[in-house]
Amino acid sequence: MARIVVIGAGMGAMAAAARLAVAGHRVTVYERAETYGGAVGRFERDGFAFDTGPGLLHLPAVYRDLFVKTGKEPLERCVELTQVDPASRHVFADGTAVSLPNASRAGVVSALDAALGAGAGTRWGEFLNRARDAWDRSRRPLLEEPLPGDVTRFARDPYPALKTGLLRRSATTLAEVGRRELRDPRLAALLESHALAYGFDPATAPAAAAVLPYMEQTFGSWYVSGGVRALADAVYERCLERKVEFVLGTEVTGVVAEDGRVTGVELAGREVVEADHVVAGAPLPALYRDQVLEWDSQEEWPRHQRGVRTGRVTVCLALRGAREADAVHRTVVHSAGREDELDALARGRLCDRPTVVVLRPGDERLRPDADHESVTVTATVPAGGAWASENLWGVAQTAAVEAFADRMVEAAAAAVPGLRERLLWRVVRTPADTFRDTGVFQVPGPALAGARGSLLPAANAAPLGGLYFAGGWAHPGGGLAHAGMSGALVAGLIVEGADFRGSQ
């Protein structure tokens, strides 16, 4: 039985902890915050409750596998999952709107043809066929296997882009795919919204980001009753059942090593806790900032840290009045100033007209009574450098941030009838809040092939023997499902050793 210390109580870290405990190891989790869940948080006030992280679950099979492998009770006995249908409603800049059914290729094609004109659905369907090819080529090595030492195989983009134009050149970015292959600004906006949701700039994201809409439209979107925070509660309870020990409100300030191998961790009070293995579930930049691995400059960080520059602003809205019976759970209101929005992301400023995602769960657990409603509105924004974003998110910028939140709420009115008149109060959460919760301003995105390998996360096994990484900043990257996969990979590497070849 090995002594294992887990740093942080995020979803990937807890997934690893539960699996390792089932394998017979003694696992202790140290979390600097007073609660668990990491980015999967909750804000509550006056009987209203809001998810402050992900609002929907994709690829629920990841957590079904976790619960099957760690106990007799399956996931559906611990949380209630329901498919969101329609999966999303899109309101485009020209006022056109379309509702897309959940996990139905034929239904999506039909809906797009009806809303955007004959042929629109066919072009989207043909695009998804190419996206499926990219998914099939990259799924196992990017999601289910440990990242190899030599990652050159991932430098090439797996998306089979159509060759168009006089020079017969393939698209290299997602934005180019939208322009060349979809040939409708609304379809292009639909495509780009998936990249924005994961924090990628469509103008620079590789064509391989096509797997993001494919994944969602193939495997569906699921809601966790009580909010996604209820899933964090269930994973935490499963850890406790497997005798994982949690020490909350205790920060790990360093990793102790001897002869090239980890021997324990140092806590904020200088106490040293011995360990045979350490799993770092905290965001990697926070560890590098504290020089756990003694890397002193940005150029020495793993490649994945250099391009991460986006975060999220979330506005929690408490509304009077009942949610209408036919309200859509998720609405994407697309920016009327696409070029300005992408330029703002690239230049580190706040745009005039953001694309917003409006979530209206209609869950009685999230409101004081049937005559009120909880709504969240989210936008992807620049988050600045790895360690600090004071210029954009500091106290001096409060007025600019509130004005940006005003513009977000104005856009959200296209998804919520009578929004302005119904508003009781709002709370604005920015990358500064993300920093307080997780130690970084950014929200990590999932691993993507292409882009010369620049969007690959850190490998789960660190250069220091006995040190492993789990969670959004580690392979296979950010997102609720990807974090769960990282926990499975770390557990496999510790339990089975170097011979581990991936999840089955």
Side-chain angles (χ1 to χ4, degrees), residues 37 64 110 197 297 331 381 447:
R64 290 189 179 115
S110 177
S297 72
T331 300
V381 295

XYZ file of all heavy atoms in Angstrom, residues 37 64 110 197 297 331 381 447:
51
model
N -14.005 20.483 -5.496
C -14.639 20.715 -6.787
C -13.846 21.582 -7.734
O -14.112 21.589 -8.933
N -19.590 7.705 -15.671
C -20.187 6.379 -15.476
C -19.089 5.350 -15.214
O -19.209 4.498 -14.334
C -21.009 5.994 -16.704
C -22.287 6.799 -16.880
C -23.155 6.223 -17.966
N -24.393 6.982 -18.123
C -24.716 7.681 -19.207
N -23.899 7.687 -20.256
N -25.855 8.352 -19.267
N -31.873 18.785 -40.629
C -33.217 19.264 -40.969
C -33.486 20.645 -40.384
O -34.039 21.529 -41.053
C -34.251 18.258 -40.469
O -35.562 18.716 -40.723
N -16.504 28.488 -26.659
C -16.978 27.889 -25.410
C -15.860 27.187 -24.654
O -15.889 27.102 -23.423
C -18.120 26.918 -25.692
N 11.686 30.344 -15.764
C 11.217 31.286 -16.773
C 10.121 30.663 -17.612
O 9.982 29.444 -17.670
C 12.378 31.706 -17.688
O 12.739 30.648 -18.548
N -29.078 28.810 -24.728
C -29.153 29.644 -25.921
C -27.810 30.327 -26.128
O -27.247 30.893 -25.182
C -30.252 30.710 -25.807
O -31.518 30.076 -25.629
C -30.299 31.571 -27.062
N -13.380 35.602 -22.583
C -12.667 36.883 -22.579
C -11.166 36.632 -22.481
O -10.731 35.552 -22.081
C -13.107 37.754 -21.381
C -14.566 38.163 -21.503
C -12.857 37.025 -20.063
N -7.165 19.084 -25.067
C -6.045 18.840 -25.975
C -6.538 18.803 -27.413
O -7.585 18.229 -27.708
C -5.364 17.524 -25.621
